[in-house]
Amino acid sequence: MNTEEFWAIIEFSRRVVDPERADGNARRQAEELWKQLSRLSPEEIVEFDAQFQDKMDAAFHWDLWGAAYLVAGGCSDDGFTDFRSWLISMGRRVFEDAVSNAESLLRVVDAPGVEDVFFEEFRYVPARAYEALTGRDFPVHKRAGPPAPAGEEWGEQELAHRFPAFWARNGRQ
């Protein structure tokens, strides 16, 4: 599975998101992704998950962690994993814009239909689909992701300077 095919599946899963609803969109999108992956072969599901992991690694960046921290009022390492899963669920354009410029997420995080910026379940959908299709456990990845986030580490005292638009969004001066 190549990058284009991966993003096409993600985009298709977003078709069930209703901007008029404040809840239920994440659950519906996860269900739609499961339906799409269930139509693939087990090998293709594993390849989809490998693409997903590549995107998780690409988003393992201090700037995105800072954005998540400010949007949510804090963000643990597990929370940052769930944030990156949400970021992927938002589709290619949002993902690539955010990887280039974390503050591009300002136009996304408060958009209609966005329930939360943490979407833990989304990253487990490939394994669930694989296991339902094969009756076997999902194969364990043998590669390790990056040992640390890319970019320059930040401290809380630096957030206002590094992310002024997010800082202002939260009403801080």
Side-chain angles (χ1 to χ4, degrees):
M1 172 166 301
N2 64 37
T3 299
E4 300 302 320
E5 294 166 321
F6 171 84
W7 284 119
I9 292 169
I10 296 292
E11 296 297 340
F12 195 83
S13 77
R14 290 203 50 74
R15 73 184 179 91
V16 298
V17 172
D18 181 354
E20 300 299 318
R21 293 186 60 136
D23 63 347
N25 283 323
R27 179 187 49 76
R28 281 194 303 280
Q29 185 179 3
E31 288 170 0
E32 185 60 35
L33 179 62
W34 187 87
K35 287 177 193 174
Q36 295 306 309
L37 295 180
S38 295
R39 294 180 177 129
L40 302 177
S41 71
E43 295 77 20
E44 289 170 317
I45 296 171
V46 170
E47 291 170 8
F48 176 92
D49 190 65
Q51 287 280 337
F52 196 98
Q53 295 307 315
D54 287 346
K55 308 312 178 255
M56 291 287 286
D57 292 350
F60 195 45
H61 197 284
W62 280 110
D63 285 353
L64 288 170
W65 201 337
Y69 186 93
L70 287 171
V71 167
C75 186
S76 67
D77 55 348
D78 287 342
F80 185 48
T81 299
D82 298 343
F83 174 82
R84 290 180 288 142
S85 179
W86 167 81
L87 183 59
I88 294 165
S89 81
M90 295 302 291
R92 186 176 198 164
R93 181 172 172 229
V94 170
F95 178 86
E96 290 178 351
D97 287 352
V99 168
S100 302
N101 174 12
E103 285 195 316
S104 71
L105 288 171
L106 274 171
R107 64 178 166 73
V108 178
V109 296
D110 295 323
V114 174
E115 297 173 67
D116 196 353
V117 295
F118 301 106
F119 196 176
E120 179 180 13
E121 180 187 354
F122 199 70
R123 66 188 164 105
Y124 298 127
V125 173
R128 284 187 28 237
Y130 180 92
E131 290 166 2
L133 186 64
T134 65
R136 297 187 313 261
D137 289 340
F138 192 72
V140 177
H141 291 286
K142 298 206 178 359
R143 69 178 179 99
E152 186 179 334
E153 187 173 358
W154 48 263
E156 284 185 72
Q157 68 281 4
E158 301 168 62
L159 291 174
H161 176 66
R162 289 210 24 207
F163 307 102
F166 273 117
W167 193 260
R169 171 193 177 265
N170 293 342
R172 297 177 176 150
Q173 302 299 333

